[in-house]
Amino acid sequence: MTRREKVLTYMEKHALSMDQGVTTSEISEAIGVLRPNVSKELNQLVREGRIKKLNGRPVHYVVNHAVGKRKMKMEQKPSIGFAGDARISDHNIKEKSAAHKNEVDAFENMIGNRDSLKNQVEQAKAALLYPPHGLNTLIIGPTGSGKTYFANKMYHFALDKEIISKKGFTTFNCADYAHNPQLLMSHLFGYVKGAFTGANSDKDGLIQEADGGMLFLDEVHRLPPEGQEMIFYFMDHGTYSRLGETTKVHHADVRLVYATTEDPESSLLQTFVRRIPIIIQLPDFKQRSAREKLQLLEQLLTLEANRIHKNIRLNEDVVQALLGSVTYGNVGQLKSNIQLVCAQGFLNSMHNKNEITLLFSQLPPNIKDGLSNLADNRKELGNLSRLLEPTMVIKPNAKRGLPDIDSYELPYNLYEIIGDKATLLKDEGLDQTAINNFIMTDINLHLKSFYRQGNLEKTFSSLNEIVDQEIIDLTKQIQRLLQERENYPVRDNFIYAMSLHISSFIKRVQSGKPLRSISSDLISMVHDYPDELKIAEHVKVLIEDHYRFPVPESEVYYMAILLVSLKSEPKAGKVGIVVAAHGNSTASSMVQVVSQLLSVDNIAAYDMPLEMSPKVALDGIALQAKNIDQGNGVLLLVDMGSLSTFSSKLTEKTNVHVKTIDMVTTAMVLEAARKTALIDSDLETVYRELREFNGYSRTINKVQKKKNDVQKISDQREKAIIAICSTGEGTAQKIKELLDKILVDNLIDDITVITVSVVNMKEQIAKIQQNYQIVATTGVVNPQLAVPFVSLENLLQGGGESFVSLIEEINNHTVREAEALEHSELLTEEMSQNYLGQYFTFINPKKIAKILWSYCDFIQQRSKLNMSNAFKVSLIMHMAGAIERYLTRSEMNVGDDQLASVRLEKLYPIVKQANKVLHDTINIDLSEAEVYYIVEIFNTEKEKNDTQNK
């Protein structure tokens, strides 16, 4: 039984006994499914109309057949999308008669139906009403302009006018299966048994499912040519064959509506386009009037107000910033930005039960930039200013629900998730700043899907600011040549890198500057890549034909090197994380908390019962490391014992680079997941930063240092950022100019930008490192240094924000590194007290810190061991855990063999004496198993020191 079936079955079973409905928490506890997952399924069931949501806090849900018994007002079935509704009729009005129903116009309530969308609405009506069976329609528009929503309006219009008889709007996105044409065709047309491997029985396709209704094919340009041919045969004759059949014996009466973001003349077969007489072009957001933009904003804000049951207050600057932030994704981007700022406002206003306030100062940088974007268009700004009041207050409106069909609508209630996670984090002991930081990270992850769809358009927009559109068009032509004629795979950043390269070459020719020289190293390198050299010759011909001047042979060599760089796939994904800890569920519990708080796919747990042998543990952890590795190495977070020495053994066993950090806590796992989810860093960077991690809550008192107490040792070399391109001149020079401007604008004057060519890149970087401390790299290829790399496309998309944040993090890290006192005498009893207060619940940190510090001194004096203060703090943390286990009656267990072996250790009698002193002081008697683990901690420390001294 699926999760959704479990939820629905539970609700139907208890529908009559729970008259007021059930909450998400009640269902979660009853069926044993995590609350966020239950929330997701409930919201999906609401969309499908199978259950209803009741207003109030907490939200209650009821099954549809029980709605009549409720007196509470229901939230209405959604009917808003991206083109938007100016007004929405009250669904509580009694059902209209069939005659009156035919007078209803589904387009009447759509924002822009009498203005920017007037002609489009008339076209849609004409296509649907044209006798005898209407006309096929293609909707064209940029990403986020509302193509799916417009098609949905067409469906409702056809249903209201009784043009179609079957309820149900069938949709299919051709891009979902574009990589597998056979699977795509089987979804559309169905298949017969034996048509392909896995086809164990006959199955109808979407065309049969939509018989009597409407089928909407989105991104139709992703249909393969044979699929387009099958569709236009169906358009002509109304018959089709399923996959595996030879005759067209199936008939269906389906209204077909298509959508694409591409030019149909170049992306679709002409025979296909000729059969679509109605082509509807939707406007982008910039073409909408100021009044329409404001109506759309108000409407989308009302949707959020309905979800959180609070007023939303925002001033004129925030309104303008939101409207100006739409740069590439149209109404879809506006909606996503509104969701982001409302989620942030909700988080910051959780103490206010009636209202959330959206402040300009709290907006993300990319949305703040919207204000300056809008200021560049003085006419648009003037039109908006005349319509705006200084303050806007949006109130929940019961007449407005959630969208029926909306590609940008999250399948869960984001605000419920924020509330739940804020509570969880608070229970973990985090302060409000850390809570906000984590939850905003999570919100960004949830909303990232939209930005992933829109990043290409956004980057082209940014690229257009420094490269002529003519060159971008030529580069796209080159990309098609490589993919179609040469079957040559290129990465997503091909357009950016090649456009900049060609632009640099063209401007060099036009300015009369001498052409680039060609070195013997370059010639030698290129001869190792004959395929790329051959393709570069074809590219040369394209450029010559376009610009009508010769391209020198040296440029062919440089283009060949660039092609090599752009062909190689990125080496790695995220850094993997494996949490391994003693106990039946210790590691799993930490990973479960992190999974609830952050949507991550790069983390695994390995629980080790105390009787498990180290060899079995090593094999189990090795398996987890191999499974979780994405090519960028694995971070192993362990609790104690011999686990911290597993790194080299795991690397040898799995061929996966593994780094280990001990003394793992839930807070550390959270930070590891956050860093690996958001930062494109390598394993060494994440490992280094986590070694210095001291938790989130309760700021540790800074140690006041007297002059000359500690000699700071820091890297005295100047800092540098490396910019890489194929030549080290054109593209890299543009990157250098961009970064120099960013550094100047942000008053950063201690970092130099140095350009480097892909040719002999490693040797050049080695020379630079003699005089400079490289803090980051960017460009067309990742040099695989142990510093963050920002790709060229990300640099263009972020407008430099990512680099500024990166540099600030580097500077903070430098300060932390200079003040690192891990082995210094400044790690004192006071600091251990802070740590104890941060991580433990049942002990008095002020009292126990002094006792445990004396415990460490007792062992040190009698064992003659040299214990660093850092090790003392670690031992104190372990001892505090042992005391808590004693107090909560959850002490560890150890096998008889292990107990027998530990009694032979030299340190055993000394630890026993120290434990007796502890008993005399606080009346706590630690078990033999705890003694075993204390001795093991000393043995592990000795192994680490011996390894470092080799």
Side-chain angles (χ1 to χ4, degrees), residues 59-313:
V59 176
H60 285 70
Y61 299 86
V62 293
V63 291
N64 226 346
H65 62 75
V67 173
K69 297 181 180 180
R70 314 289 177 253
K71 293 185 179 179
M72 297 175 69
K73 183 185 280 186
M74 301 287 183
E75 285 190 3
Q76 301 305 313
K77 187 177 179 181
S79 52
I80 280 190
F82 288 144
D85 285 348
R87 301 186 311 277
I88 299 190
S89 60
D90 190 342
H91 286 243
N92 291 326
I93 297 173
K94 293 180 180 179
E95 189 176 351
K96 298 173 176 63
S97 65
H100 183 64
K101 189 176 180 180
N102 282 336
E103 297 174 10
V104 174
D105 187 343
F107 292 101
E108 182 64 27
N109 298 319
M110 189 166 66
I111 290 174
N113 73 91
R114 291 188 177 85
D115 190 1
S116 65
L117 294 174
K118 182 178 180 180
N119 291 338
Q120 290 84 342
V121 169
E122 294 303 319
Q123 282 181 287
K125 290 179 180 178
L128 292 167
L129 295 168
Y130 194 85
H133 302 296
L135 300 172
N136 299 311
T137 306
L138 174 64
I139 304 171
I140 304 173
T143 300
S145 57
K147 297 181 293 295
T148 305
Y149 171 69
F150 193 90
N152 191 38
K153 281 293 182 186
M154 291 179 66
Y155 159 74
H156 282 292
F157 181 85
L159 201 61
D160 292 341
K161 300 295 181 184
E162 298 180 351
I163 297 169
I164 57 177
S165 58
K166 181 179 179 179
K167 285 189 176 183
F169 182 56
T170 307
T171 66
F172 182 72
N173 191 318
C174 301
D176 291 344
Y177 301 97
H179 64 286
N180 190 334
Q182 185 185 50
L183 189 58
L184 190 154
M185 302 310 296
S186 70
H187 271 283
L188 276 178
F189 295 100
Y191 54 83
V192 295
K193 183 178 179 180
F196 51 86
T197 304
N200 299 321
S201 61
D202 294 356
K203 188 178 187 303
D204 287 334
L206 291 174
I207 285 181
Q208 193 61 48
E209 182 185 312
D211 186 20
M214 184 178 286
L215 174 61
F216 174 61
L217 297 181
D218 199 5
E219 297 197 62
V220 69
H221 60 278
R222 304 298 293 273
L223 264 181
E226 61 269 28
Q228 293 181 44
E229 289 170 357
M230 291 176 74
I231 288 283
F232 73 63
Y233 186 92
F234 174 70
M235 286 191 281
D236 286 348
H237 302 92
T239 59
Y240 67 95
S241 60
R242 292 184 292 190
L243 212 62
E245 290 179 335
T246 55
T247 57
K248 294 178 170 42
V249 295
H250 302 282
H251 178 271
D253 179 16
V254 180
R255 295 296 178 109
L256 290 166
V257 178
Y258 312 97
T260 181
T261 55
E262 304 297 312
D263 177 4
E265 296 298 325
S266 59
S267 61
L268 295 169
L269 296 175
Q270 288 303 305
T271 47
F272 183 77
V273 176
R274 280 202 301 270
R275 287 167 169 81
I276 307 174
I278 301 291
I279 296 179
I280 298 174
Q281 175 75 56
L282 294 184
D284 63 26
F285 190 71
K286 290 179 180 177
Q287 293 172 300
R288 308 290 286 259
S289 68
R291 187 176 298 278
E292 284 183 28
K293 290 177 182 177
L294 200 55
Q295 287 175 333
L296 288 165
L297 178 89
E298 289 175 352
Q299 193 162 76
L300 294 172
L301 283 168
T302 302
L303 291 178
E304 302 309 310
N306 284 350
R307 287 190 179 96
I308 57 181
H309 308 288
K310 293 183 182 182
N311 292 346
I312 299 175
R313 180 181 295 272

Side-chain angles (χ1 to χ4, degrees), residues 727-783:
T727 65
E729 298 172 14
T731 302
Q733 196 60 39
K734 285 184 178 294
I735 299 171
K736 174 176 167 56
E737 290 168 7
L738 174 62
L739 289 177
D740 282 339
K741 183 176 184 303
I742 292 167
L743 295 174
V744 170
D745 289 347
N746 289 274
L747 305 178
I748 298 170
D749 58 2
D750 62 340
I751 296 181
T752 304
V753 182
I754 301 174
T755 59
V756 165
S757 166
V758 172
V759 182
N760 294 329
M761 177 177 66
K762 291 185 178 179
E763 291 82 355
Q764 293 178 68
I765 290 175
K767 286 182 181 178
I768 292 168
Q769 285 177 316
Q770 293 174 8
N771 301 311
Y772 291 90
Q773 175 194 357
I774 298 174
V775 294
T777 60
T778 184
V780 299
V781 64
N782 187 343

Side-chain angles (χ1 to χ4, degrees), residues 352-577:
N352 190 330
K353 294 183 179 180
N354 302 316
E355 185 173 272
I356 72 169
T357 303
L358 307 183
L359 301 175
F360 183 80
S361 60
Q362 295 176 346
L363 296 180
N366 63 306
I367 296 178
K368 279 184 180 176
D369 290 344
L371 195 58
S372 55
N373 294 342
L374 197 60
D376 291 339
N377 188 340
R378 298 181 67 178
K379 182 180 177 183
E380 180 71 8
L381 183 60
N383 291 339
L384 269 175
S385 298
R386 283 191 287 273
L387 298 170
L388 282 175
E389 296 292 335
T391 301
M392 178 187 290
V393 179
I394 303 294
K395 298 182 179 181
N397 184 344
K399 294 180 182 179
R400 294 182 177 181
L402 308 177
D404 253 344
I405 292 180
D406 185 341
S407 308
Y408 303 85
E409 187 64 29
L410 296 172
Y412 40 74
N413 189 321
L414 188 59
Y415 303 100
E416 287 183 5
I417 291 174
I418 292 171
D420 293 345
K421 293 189 176 180
T423 303
L424 272 170
L425 288 165
K426 197 169 184 179
D427 291 344
E428 285 292 320
L430 274 69
D431 58 25
Q432 194 58 46
T433 302
I435 289 173
N436 288 7
N437 186 19
F438 261 112
I439 293 182
M440 284 314 298
T441 293
D442 202 29
I443 291 167
N444 277 296
L445 287 171
H446 281 301
L447 299 179
K448 191 181 281 185
S449 58
F450 168 76
Y451 289 103
R452 193 177 293 119
Q453 293 173 24
N455 267 345
L456 193 60
E457 289 86 345
K458 178 184 178 185
T459 306
F460 286 160
S461 173
S462 303
L463 185 62
N464 214 327
E465 295 173 7
I466 52 176
V467 176
D468 293 339
Q469 184 61 44
E470 182 183 8
I471 292 173
I472 296 175
D473 293 340
L474 175 61
T475 307
K476 289 181 180 178
Q477 186 182 344
I478 293 169
Q479 185 180 38
R480 283 196 294 273
L481 163 79
L482 295 179
Q483 291 173 332
E484 294 170 10
R485 278 179 40 191
E486 304 293 341
N487 198 25
Y488 188 85
V490 292
R491 299 214 313 258
D492 291 341
N493 63 344
F494 177 86
I495 297 289
Y496 331 125
M498 185 62 81
S499 293
L500 287 164
H501 181 90
I502 295 174
S503 174
S504 170
F505 166 68
I506 297 299
K507 288 182 179 176
R508 181 177 285 272
V509 172
Q510 291 172 342
S511 64
K513 290 181 180 178
L515 298 174
R516 301 179 180 109
S517 58
I518 180 168
S519 67
S520 57
D521 287 337
L522 177 63
I523 295 172
S524 174
M525 185 177 180
V526 170
H527 282 162
D528 291 334
Y529 300 98
D531 292 341
E532 280 74 14
L533 185 60
K534 179 183 174 184
I535 293 170
E537 290 284 358
H538 294 163
V539 174
K540 169 192 171 186
V541 172
L542 275 177
I543 297 173
E544 287 177 337
D545 289 348
H546 188 87
Y547 285 101
R548 304 296 180 189
F549 59 67
V551 175
E553 199 64 25
S554 61
E555 198 60 34
V556 175
Y557 278 82
Y558 280 115
M559 271 192 287
I561 289 299
L562 183 62
L563 286 169
V564 172
S565 302
L566 296 175
K567 180 182 180 181
S568 57
E569 288 297 321
K571 285 180 65 178
K574 300 174 188 173
V575 173
I577 303 168

